Amino acid sequence: MILAAALDNINNANGFSIALTGILIVFTALTLICAFLTNLPRMLVILNQYFPVNESHAAPAARPQSAAADDELVAAIGLAFHVHQSGQN
Amino acid sequence: MDTLITFLQSTGFYMMTPWHALMIVIGIVFICLAIRKDYEPLLLVPIGMGIIVGNIPVAQNMALTVYDSAFLNDGTFDNLTNGSVLSFLYLGVSQGIFPPLVFLGIGAMTDFSTMLSNPKLVLLGAAAQVGVFLTFLGALTLGFSDVESASIGIIGGADGPTAIFLATQLAPNLLGAIAIAAYSYMALVPVIQPPIMRLLTTREERRIRMAPPREVSRRERILFPVVAFLICALIAPASLVLIGMLFFGNLLKESTVTERLADTARNALIDIVTILLGFCVGASTNADRFLTADSIKIFVLGAVAFGIATAGGVLFAKFMNLFLTEKINPLIGAAGVSAVPDSARVVQMVGQEEDPNNHLLMHAMAPNVAGVIGSAVAAGVLWSVLGQ
């Protein structure tokens, strides 16, 4: 009796068809995204031939000047060490 | 003396009912869970404090609660001074303004790289949405109307902003209960999901190791939000607002030329909106409106929805393994519910119980973010079908 009433509620609201349609649409959308992502690397190979990656638009390198700064620091430490050693002699 | 008596009769102590006191205790429990157990503190502290604020009984003629709005039923203003401050803040919830802004922030902080490197995991985000639609049927059997059932079902998406957004569009009368249920279950992900995950998987399955994801190029990361938005919005236009903001936020991040905007979206903006959203949702749970039989049913259905969604993701991962040569760990199916990143963390935790050197977190993030897209599409579908 309760089960029949519950089924009636679902049928009256067209529940089964809404639920089935809904989950199918969600799967369709995400399956299309999946298909797109699967083929994206291949599409990019073609795209890159006509529109090569322009490095100037990429994010700036994280530490372009740090290496130079490090070299200067090493040179300064080396000079200080040399002066110190020279003074001792 | 009369003045003193009148004043005493207007105090919260005089007007307090056991139900108000119960709600205040619930608010305190939320705050304790956040602080002591670290369950979603960014949500539970504002919601808990909001519950306490919303359940201080006030005199009828004082415009203090979120429900004391200056809006008339026809949408015009009665008199601005008739509306409470909280009611104006609550417009962000009741008019569905806050959820898309939260999605903008989520998009700006989400890295879709693992999903881009292993596209088949996207399907797990779809499988977990089965919880939404089965709970929709469950709510119908309990006598809720179709629009109310749809709003309750979306709790299974484990996505608070989506649940709020759909409830504001379809069933504003249930907004408080649905919002509290959705956020409560999101906070309880570490409690609800592990038993279901262990029950549905074998020890060998939980020990499966997955290959590390490949490196994803910048072009892929930039193209993805644009094309994925077009796919979702053209299939389910009603999901346009949520999906649009999600992918807009992601484009701000991945383009790398709008770093300031992305930084604001994923930090300041989402923090402000989360504070207002959580507090207002909490303040909307006045005992007179909130403590009803319907609310209890919604909480039960919410737990069922969450359980089914988790099981749906895990079982679908096992189903996929029947056809895959390179097996996936079925635990990551549980991350198909879109509680980002908590359910992915739970996957990592349960996986490491069996194999401490198995790192599933990055793999679980793929179905996790796919679940965000899936629940937004599910909400769009339900709104399209039932909101006419």
Side-chain angles (χ1 to χ4, degrees):
Chain A
M1 192 70 174
I2 295 172
L3 187 65
L7 281 174
D8 273 351
N9 284 343
I10 294 175
N11 286 328
N12 291 341
N14 220 5
F16 288 116
S17 68
I18 291 174
L20 191 62
T21 309
I23 196 68
L24 278 177
I25 293 172
V26 172
F27 259 98
T28 303
L30 291 187
T31 303
L32 284 174
I33 290 176
C34 175
F36 163 70
L37 293 179
T38 305
N39 292 298
L40 184 57
R42 267 166 270 174
M43 288 189 276
L44 280 180
V45 170
I46 300 167
L47 188 72
N48 288 343
Q49 287 174 354
Y50 296 99
F51 303 99
V53 177
N54 185 350
E55 290 299 335
S56 66
H57 285 176
R63 300 175 61 195
Q65 294 173 348
S66 60
D70 286 348
D71 289 344
E72 284 174 15
L73 185 65
V74 169
I77 292 169
L79 177 66
F81 184 70
H82 174 72
V83 169
H84 177 69
Q85 292 293 86
S86 303
Q88 280 187 342
N89 294 332
Chain B
M1 192 63 185
D2 285 348
T3 307
L4 182 62
I5 290 171
T6 306
F7 172 74
L8 288 176
Q9 286 177 342
S10 73
T11 63
F13 287 113
Y14 183 83
M15 290 185 287
M16 179 78 68
T17 66
W19 302 118
H20 289 120
L22 174 66
M23 289 304 296
I24 289 172
V25 169
I26 291 173
I28 293 169
V29 169
F30 272 39
I31 293 171
C32 289
L33 282 175
I35 294 172
R36 290 186 65 87
K37 297 282 186 181
D38 204 27
Y39 288 166
E40 290 274 3
L42 301 182
L43 292 173
L44 288 194
V45 170
I47 291 176
M49 194 63 206
I51 292 174
I52 295 171
V53 169
N55 281 282
I56 301 297
V58 294
Q60 293 287 336
N61 58 348
M62 298 172 77
L64 290 170
T65 73
V66 297
Y67 297 108
D68 296 318
S69 174
F71 273 112
L72 296 173
N73 286 337
D74 62 2
T76 58
F77 277 120
D78 175 17
N79 180 346
L80 280 178
T81 55
N82 288 348
S84 70
V85 172
L86 285 181
S87 77
F88 286 106
L89 295 178
Y90 191 64
L91 285 175
V93 179
S94 62
Q95 300 302 307
I97 298 165
F98 290 153
L101 294 177
V102 172
F103 262 60
L104 178 71
I106 292 172
M109 67 172 70
T110 300
D111 185 355
F112 286 99
S113 294
T114 50
M115 195 176 92
L116 295 172
S117 71
N118 199 349
K120 60 180 175 290
L121 299 184
V122 173
L123 298 177
L124 297 175
Q129 306 312 315
V130 74
V132 171
F133 295 99
L134 288 181
T135 309
F136 165 68
L137 296 179
L140 284 174
T141 63
L142 290 183
F144 286 101
S145 69
D146 53 358
V147 289
E148 290 173 340
S149 299
S151 304
I152 295 166
I154 208 72
I155 296 172
D159 198 335
T162 306
I164 289 173
F165 185 78
L166 193 64
T168 58
Q169 306 302 329
L170 294 181
N173 54 317
L174 299 180
L175 178 58
I178 287 171
I180 294 290
Y183 279 114
S184 302
Y185 291 128
M186 281 170 68
L188 292 174
V189 161
V191 179
I192 298 172
Q193 286 200 308
I196 299 168
M197 293 158 73
R198 291 189 198 104
L199 184 71
L200 295 175
T201 53
T202 64
R203 192 160 183 266
E204 285 67 36
E205 285 173 329
R206 292 197 290 274
R207 292 170 65 91
I208 292 175
R209 291 195 178 193
M210 295 173 66
R214 70 172 171 84
E215 196 171 327
V216 176
S217 72
R218 180 167 172 259
R219 273 201 168 167
E220 285 177 90
R221 283 183 275 125
I222 290 175
L223 277 173
F224 168 70
V226 178
V227 177
F229 167 72
L230 287 172
I231 291 172
C232 294
L234 291 173
I235 289 178
S239 65
L240 184 146
V241 181
L242 292 176
I243 289 285
M245 294 301 257
L246 177 77
F247 287 128
F248 172 47
N250 191 245
L251 187 60
L252 290 178
K253 171 180 181 284
E254 299 299 354
S255 69
T256 68
V257 293
T258 52
E259 192 50 38
R260 276 176 50 199
L261 303 185
D263 189 51
T264 301
R266 68 172 159 253
N267 292 307
L269 181 64
I270 197 168
D271 286 349
I272 291 167
V273 175
T274 302
I275 290 169
L276 295 175
L277 180 67
F279 187 79
C280 291
V281 164
S284 71
T285 60
N286 186 281
D288 301 332
R289 294 166 183 260
F290 187 74
L291 289 178
T292 62
D294 278 354
S295 296
I296 294 167
K297 286 183 197 169
I298 288 169
F299 268 77
V300 173
L301 285 165
V304 172
F306 218 89
I308 295 173
T310 304
V314 173
L315 291 175
F316 194 77
K318 289 168 70 117
F319 176 71
M320 285 171 70
N321 273 345
L322 296 176
F323 308 97
L324 294 172
T325 49
E326 196 174 302
K327 306 293 183 196
I328 56 176
N329 190 316
L331 289 178
I332 67 169
V337 302
S338 53
V340 181
D342 282 15
S343 53
R345 281 196 206 127
V346 168
V347 169
Q348 165 85 354
M349 183 189 77
V350 176
Q352 288 199 325
E353 285 173 5
E354 300 297 342
D355 180 358
N357 295 318
N358 195 3
H359 299 287
L360 294 170
L361 183 65
M362 59 187 166
H363 301 291
M365 282 307 291
N368 212 183
V369 294
V372 177
I373 301 169
S375 60
V377 173
V381 172
L382 289 169
W383 189 22
S384 299
V385 174
L386 299 169
Q388 307 295 331

